[in-house]
Structures are given as C-alpha cells and as structure tokens.
Amino acid sequence: MTDYEETFHPNGTDGDDVEEVPSKAGWFDDSDEDEKRKKKDKDKGWCFLTTAACEHIGLPDDCYELQTLRDFRDNFLCATVDGAEIVEEYYRIAPPLVPLVKQEHTAAWVWKHIQQAVAQIENGQNSAALDTYQNMVRILQREGRNTGT
C-alpha cells in the first residue's frame, strides 16, 4: 500500500465501502458563502430591459423600480411553474432587445411601461403587471424584428 492510499483511505480500504453523505448545505462547508454569492448575483441580475432603461435615465442598479420588479419575479412569478417558465423565456428573449431599449425614443416608452407595472404591483394587481410587462416585451420584439435589432 502506498502512502497515498493510507492517507486517503485509512484502514487500507479502497474507498468503495465508505458511505459519503453530503451535509444539508452540500458537499463543501463553504457552500453557505457560495449560496449567498449566488443569491446576490441573482438579486442584481436578469432584469435586462428594466436595467437598460434605468441606466439610460441614470438610476442605480438598486433603484426602487428594479427592486420592485426583482421582488415580483422572485416572489410572485418564480413561485409557480408557469411563472418560472415565463421568467426563463424572458431570459432567452430579452438580452437581444437591450440595444433597442437604450435608444432615446424607446427608453422613454419602456420607462412608462415599467412605471405602470410597478404601480400595478404596488396596488396588488400582479396579473395586470405581468400583462403590462409581457406586452411591452412583445412590442419590443416586433420593433426589433422590424429594425433588425
């Protein structure tokens, strides 16, 4: 038996008879930090169109509108299978639309729809807010196809 085998397999076993059970958090002790990082990244990201509109008008990444829509995504949409599918679809179609949102005339139009969706969320009209945002995205898609964006 080599020093390697004795070091990693005490009692001279080949490791096949050792049962490995992950902790609740996973295989590594630092997974809590990894989960915190992932949550922070998730909280800050994926609101492609709203982020582009906010940047265009000079609002920070943690502005009220972004926080409201992220909370809506995480706590309303992602709470259901259908909502999670809507979010996944958005992740697929929204990134190519960002350059369109950064155009002056489009940014103002998008911002009005964002404000409308946020107001609907504030009033507990979650389905209406989803409709507002989805309609905005559909129109942007059509515009993007028409302009080659």
Side-chain angles (χ1 to χ4, degrees), residues 47-53 55-56 90 93-103 106-107 110 140 149:
C47 285
F48 300 105
L49 304 179
T50 303
T51 299
E55 286 175 355
H56 184 79
Y90 174 79
I93 61 177
L97 300 174
V98 168
L100 186 62
V101 174
K102 290 183 176 184
Q103 296 174 7
T106 308
V110 167
L140 287 170
T149 303

Side-chain angles (χ1 to χ4, degrees), residues 23-119:
S23 67
K24 179 180 176 188
W27 292 103
F28 303 104
D29 289 337
D30 64 349
S31 60
D32 286 340
E33 287 302 314
D34 190 44
E35 287 301 315
K36 287 178 189 172
R37 182 187 52 75
K38 285 180 184 175
K39 181 177 179 350
K40 182 179 176 185
D41 291 347
K42 178 183 167 197
D43 289 346
K44 292 196 80 171
W46 303 106
C47 285
F48 300 105
L49 304 179
T50 303
T51 299
C54 288
E55 286 175 355
H56 184 79
I57 62 173
L59 292 175
D61 188 59
D62 61 351
C63 69
Y64 177 76
E65 291 79 5
L66 271 165
Q67 293 297 333
T68 299
L69 289 169
R70 287 175 179 144
D71 184 62
F72 176 74
R73 173 199 62 204
D74 296 342
N75 297 310
F76 178 73
L77 287 177
C78 289
T80 67
V81 173
D82 289 343
E85 288 174 0
I86 290 168
V87 171
E88 288 300 318
E89 178 72 3
Y90 174 79
Y91 291 168
R92 186 184 66 75
I93 61 177
L97 300 174
V98 168
L100 186 62
V101 174
K102 290 183 176 184
Q103 296 174 7
E104 188 66 37
H105 70 283
T106 308
W109 179 84
V110 167
W111 184 245
K112 287 179 185 177
H113 283 80
I114 289 168
Q115 289 177 312
Q116 181 181 356
V118 168

